[in-house]
Amino acid sequence: QVQVVESGGGLVQPGGSLRLSCQVSESMFSIYPMGWYRQAPGKPAELVARITSGGNTNYADSVKGRFTISRDNAKNTVYLQMDNLKPEDTAAYYCNRNLSVRYPWGQGTQVTVSS
């Protein structure tokens, strides 16, 4: 059973930064595109960033210029560097394969942006 473990969330003031990590226990991790998703209460889940196996990246307009996704295939880990955080970034953040067939969802990591 593949396990996905997200970490790095927390409470931060507007304008602050956080770095999220996601480790996947699957040997073929490196060949898959990965995405960071978020879901705020009462809102649908959204894809905020994706990265291909080759390192190409795409971002939602709402985070472009503030978030950076990266991956370390040797560590089976994908990261999300979040800078200049805004209150509207408050959500539970999850990572998963950016494919129609997903890994089992992890527990996510909560990001709260508030003064």
Side-chain angles (χ1 to χ4, degrees):
Q1 176 84 343
V2 175
Q3 286 192 315
V4 177
V5 180
E6 300 96 344
S7 62
L11 173 64
V12 63
Q13 292 186 341
S17 297
L18 285 174
R19 188 193 195 206
L20 307 184
S21 299
C22 169
Q23 189 162 37
V24 180
S25 64
E26 204 250 351
S27 61
M28 302 296 288
F29 166 84
S30 64
I31 71 171
Y32 298 120
M34 292 294 295
W36 278 99
Y37 303 80
R38 69 184 180 188
Q39 186 163 26
K43 294 185 177 181
E46 64 170 328
L47 174 67
V48 296
R50 70 184 293 271
I51 185 166
T52 66
S53 58
N56 293 319
T57 58
N58 298 95
Y59 300 92
D61 287 344
S62 58
V63 307
K64 202 171 293 183
R66 301 187 297 119
F67 289 13
T68 304
I69 188 171
S70 60
R71 66 192 299 163
D72 184 338
N73 289 332
K75 296 181 178 180
N76 277 25
T77 301
V78 61
Y79 304 98
L80 187 67
Q81 176 67 40
M82 306 187 295
D83 299 316
N84 191 20
L85 282 159
K86 303 177 180 182
E88 51 264 42
D89 296 317
T90 295
Y93 284 72
Y94 304 85
C95 75
N96 211 312
R97 284 194 300 200
N98 186 225
L99 296 171
S100 57
V101 178
R102 303 272 171 82
Y103 294 129
W105 289 96
Q107 82 288 349
T109 187
Q110 177 67 36
V111 172
T112 302
V113 185
S114 174
S115 55

